[in-house]
Amino acid sequence: MKWCVIGAGGIADRRTIPAIIKDEKNTLVAVMDKNGDVAKATGEKYGVAYFNDEEEMLKAVSCDAVYIATPVMCHYEQSMIALKYGKHVFLEKPVCANAIDSRKLVDAFKKANKQINIGYMMKFHNLHVKAKELIKNDEIGEVNTVRLQFTCWYPDIKGAWRQIKALGGGGAIMDLGVHCIELIEYILDDEIESVKSFYSTKTFSYEVEDGAIIIFRTKGGVLGHIDVNFNIPDDASESKLELYGTKGYIQCNGTLAQEEVGKLSHLYAPQGDYSAAQNRTSGIATIYEGEKGNLYEKQIKSFRETVESGVLDYYYADRAVQVQEIVDRIYNEN
Ligand SMILES: NC(=O)c1ccc[n+]([C@@H]2O[C@H](COP(=O)([O-])OP(=O)(O)OC[C@H]3O[C@@H](n4cnc5c(N)ncnc54)[C@H](O)[C@@H]3O)[C@@H](O)[C@H]2O)c1
């Protein structure tokens, strides 16, 4: 698969381009960035052509797929440009800043019979796959309650697009919350039906929220709670994903991350009768470790294999659109 990249700094350079070129079935052909210095630096680093304009790049070189990692407000237009040139697109999360554009975008790819996938890489983490499998195998019974915490330290930075509503579409919810929503729906194989949120900009002076709590109920009746923050120091933050059911729990620590690290603890502790004494002897959990693979390599491989199979698959793109519907509701109704 021959690849071009739009938005060649940031996550593209740090994670995804290395993942693309690691797979010997891929070739990186060209990169584009509107910042000329970034385009040149990334192009030279990987020994490929570099451009400042996406159409110029797509006219000049031949490729099968385009990876897009630009500010959220560029996602719709740049994906549509790639589609106009007949390309499959791997687009960074979130799809677009609102659900209407997200739906239009995914539908346009379906209509043109081109693949579009969104960069929600956390569902490729072996421990998240394990959590899904444990639930499916009734290893914690019927899931009742889930909790997630995902944070990063993100102070005021002049001109940073994520801190400007018109460029990023929102703050901690749009940037971190979307990962949590997508992941929990994947693990539970369920959809969020009702959602409420409190959010604020408490610590920093930018216009988007620097912290939020989201509470929800899924169609299957699971109650959930998500915390996302830009204002908790990285060392003080606990990346957590906890699922509680009628027969036990799954607790993931450190798995909401860009690396396939962390631990999953699973406790199977079914209980018979009501015990008035409420003696809680803590059971012994089974511990599973992150397999330290590369989430970005896994997601790019999955995308390439889908395209090569000739059977295009929009299941996760549709789910990613549904995530934006939830985010719209949070921003519009709370
Ligand atoms: N899945 C993940 O792990 C993950 C992690 C970080 C970011 N992201 C997503 O990736 C996207 C980019 O985020 P980032 O952190 O890399 O941002 P960034 O600001 O670090 O990098 C964005 C790059 O895009 C370039 N750019 C800006 N406007 C452009 C335009 N109109 N055309 C071409 N290039 C343009 C910038 O010069 C910069 O090099 C966002 O959608 C973000 O949510 C995903």
Side-chain angles (χ1 to χ4, degrees):
M1 177 172 273
K2 288 197 264 173
W3 290 80
C4 281
V5 171
I6 297 178
I11 193 72
D13 179 36
R14 276 199 308 280
R15 301 280 185 187
T16 315
I17 296 176
I20 290 172
I21 60 180
K22 183 83 190 293
D23 181 342
E24 59 189 23
K25 294 191 172 155
N26 289 326
T27 310
L28 181 68
V29 176
V31 298
M32 173 267 161
D33 199 285
K34 79 162 194 196
N35 179 326
D37 292 340
V38 171
K40 183 171 187 294
T42 314
E44 286 179 354
K45 179 172 173 184
Y46 297 102
V48 298
Y50 53 91
F51 297 84
N52 285 139
D53 181 273
E54 52 275 64
E55 294 220 38
E56 215 179 281
M57 173 173 74
L58 294 170
K59 277 181 195 155
V61 302
S62 144
C63 72
D64 308 298
V66 179
Y67 169 65
I68 301 176
T70 50
V72 180
M73 283 304 165
C74 305
H75 287 186
Y76 182 83
E77 194 189 332
Q78 289 176 331
S79 300
M80 290 301 280
I81 290 172
L83 185 62
K84 185 173 103 183
Y85 285 85
K87 311 303 177 191
H88 302 287
V89 164
F90 193 91
L91 172 64
E92 265 309 337
K93 46 61 61 176
V95 190
C96 300
N98 64 67
I100 291 177
D101 286 351
S102 303
R103 182 74 275 156
K104 266 166 56 187
L105 185 61
V106 171
D107 286 350
F109 275 76
K110 286 182 183 174
K111 197 162 169 224
N113 213 24
K114 294 289 166 190
Q115 185 65 41
I116 182 166
N117 279 28
I118 314 301
Y120 287 115
M121 76 296 176
M122 289 189 193
K123 63 178 167 292
F124 291 92
H125 195 305
N126 73 300
L127 296 180
H128 297 152
V129 175
K130 182 79 193 169
K132 188 178 174 77
E133 183 189 299
L134 287 167
I135 291 168
K136 198 167 159 225
N137 294 340
D138 196 34
E139 294 282 348
I140 63 166
E142 188 179 72
V143 183
N144 297 321
T145 298
V146 300
R147 294 202 290 245
L148 296 91
Q149 186 192 45
F150 188 33
T151 72
C152 71
W153 181 249
Y154 193 46
D156 289 286
I157 302 169
K158 201 165 180 289
W161 62 265
R162 273 188 187 78
Q163 301 180 356
I164 302 167
K165 178 102 176 158
L167 298 178
I173 296 168
M174 187 65 84
D175 195 49
L176 306 174
V178 291
H179 271 298
C180 299
I181 295 168
E182 205 263 351
L183 182 62
I184 199 64
E185 290 192 335
Y186 163 78
I187 291 175
L188 294 174
D189 204 4
D190 197 356
E191 276 179 38
I192 291 176
E193 182 179 58
S194 307
V195 67
K196 303 267 176 225
S197 175
F198 283 104
Y199 54 92
S200 63
T201 312
K202 181 176 187 294
T203 307
F204 302 117
S205 59
Y206 41 74
E207 59 181 337
V208 299
E209 74 280 0
D210 59 18
I213 58 169
I214 300 167
I215 55 169
F216 62 84
R217 189 182 58 230
T218 68
K219 283 185 177 161
V222 178
L223 302 177
H225 172 167
I226 295 171
D227 297 339
V228 282
N229 292 78
F230 282 158
N231 51 3
I232 296 177
D234 291 339
D235 284 343
S237 165
E238 298 202 39
S239 143
K240 269 191 187 288
L241 162 59
E242 302 173 356
L243 304 112
Y244 297 90
T246 50
K247 295 180 187 167
Y249 69 64
I250 293 166
Q251 296 177 342
C252 293
N253 283 285
T255 59
L256 296 168
Q258 295 187 354
E259 301 195 342
E260 201 173 22
V261 293
K263 280 189 171 47
L264 181 155
S265 313
H266 167 231
L267 181 72
Y268 183 72
Q271 188 169 344
D273 293 337
Y274 168 65
S275 161
Q278 298 276 297
N279 289 328
R280 288 155 199 266
T281 49
S282 54
I284 297 178
T286 308
I287 312 287
Y288 301 87
E289 303 270 346
E291 68 185 18
K292 299 192 174 64
N294 183 310
L295 301 174
Y296 299 84
E297 286 173 20
K298 288 183 179 186
Q299 69 173 1
I300 290 294
K301 181 165 181 265
S302 158
F303 175 81
R304 177 181 58 66
E305 287 176 349
T306 302
V307 172
E308 285 175 356
S309 75
V311 184
L312 302 187
D313 183 349
Y314 302 98
Y315 178 76
Y316 286 114
D318 283 333
R319 296 300 289 249
V321 172
Q322 192 248 340
V323 171
Q324 294 319 120
E325 286 165 4
I326 295 165
V327 171
D328 272 10
R329 276 156 61 195
I330 291 173
Y331 283 136
N332 297 335
E333 294 169 19
N334 294 281

